[in-house]
Amino acid sequence: MIDHTRRRLSAALGAGIALALSGEAAIAADKAALLNVSYDVARKFYQELNPAFAEAWKQKTGQALRIDQSHGGSSKQARAVIDGLEADVVTMNNPLDIDAIAERGKLLPKAWAAQFPHASSPSWSTILFLVRKGNPKAIRDWNDLVKPGVAVILPNPKTSGNGRYSYLAAWEYAKRANGGSEEAARAFVKKFFANVPILDTGGRGATTTFSQRAIGDVLLTFENEVALIREELGDKFEVVVPSLTVRADNPVAVVQKFAAKHGRNDLARAYIEFHYSPKGQEIFARNAIRPSDPVVLERFAASFPKVNVFTVEEAFGSWPKAQAAHFADGASFDQIYASP
């Protein structure tokens, strides 16, 4: 009877140890995973960068890696992280959204932009116009977008960095064209949005509206999305480079609270650093996203049209100032879009 009891206790103890070890193995396996919460039109880029990083990580550590992606409108993605989507890293298309994660979510330091080179932006893009083949509405510049009968497609500036950049570029173009007049810029942007029949929440939704639902005469979107549409749909569209457009830096950050919780701080940092590596910079360039490394950008110069760009900081003081003046609740965009 005693021996039988001992055998049962030994078996139970062995099972407990095995369960504990399997639990530790599961935790270790889970550490070989990473969640990147990103903006809407970065999908194709990460389809190439993630396997390249996973291969480099395995060569360095021997550890297989799974990278999960979440895509959507940049601001919508930031809110999801603040509300509990446990991203290890965020890769956005404007710094405001990472600022929100830092300030409202308390999930990473307010000085996050100082943690990596180029204000934590390994790449940048810009807003271009995409028109239908033959350019039937003869769209050449921003002033053509406010003409009667021209339907403009772009995502909602309240939920999408793409939409915010397009709004600010239209505003700055009109301001410069009218001797620096803010009132003239406001009137122009009001006419501009009067020609917008629908506002999708993100850049990919706007692309679908324009290219698949055949709504609108011109799509405003990031350069890499323009290249992807033309690659997928051939010669149905033409690119128009406006006389003035905006530089859109693509900031990145480790979401330290969640990465630490998951035991992935080192992995998350290595992933971000890979964006800055020669291979990562080349992957940006191959996907029509301008790398921050000027040497790599020069090597791929033939792939990118020359653009006359301004920065949000130059034209609007800072991103927080632009947000407060134009995109906060009740600010200029709400007033313009709601007024008849």
Side-chain angles (χ1 to χ4, degrees), residues 45-108:
F45 166 73
Y46 282 109
Q47 287 172 5
E48 184 173 353
L49 182 127
N50 285 350
F53 174 72
E55 181 182 353
W57 183 256
K58 188 169 185 178
Q59 288 178 353
K60 180 180 179 180
T61 67
Q63 187 178 45
L65 175 64
R66 185 186 80 245
I67 303 173
D68 296 319
Q69 287 288 139
S70 173
H71 292 282
S74 187
S75 296
K76 188 176 180 182
Q77 292 290 81
R79 284 197 297 272
V81 174
I82 293 167
D83 290 342
L85 178 59
E86 294 191 0
D88 298 297
V89 300
V90 287
T91 55
M92 300 298 192
N93 59 28
N94 71 85
L96 271 180
D97 295 321
I98 303 183
D99 283 343
I101 295 169
E103 293 167 10
R104 300 208 321 259
K106 312 295 184 188
L107 298 172
L108 66 157

Side-chain angles (χ1 to χ4, degrees), residues 111-187:
W112 61 268
Q115 295 192 347
F116 296 98
H118 303 291
S120 289
S121 293
S123 68
W124 63 282
S125 190
T126 192
I127 297 294
L128 300 180
F129 300 171
L130 194 68
V131 298
R132 303 192 187 281
K133 186 176 181 180
N135 196 2
K137 295 295 178 73
I139 294 167
R140 302 297 178 198
D141 212 345
W142 293 96
N143 58 304
D144 296 315
L145 305 187
V146 299
K147 292 178 178 177
V150 174
V152 181
I153 302 299
L154 75 159
N156 192 334
K158 299 282 280 191
T159 56
S160 165
N162 180 328
R164 278 196 291 275
Y165 279 116
S166 295
Y167 171 106
L168 294 176
W171 186 284
E172 183 63 12
Y173 168 85
K175 182 179 174 182
R176 293 189 185 190
N178 291 277
S181 169
E182 295 282 349
E183 285 305 312
R186 182 185 180 89

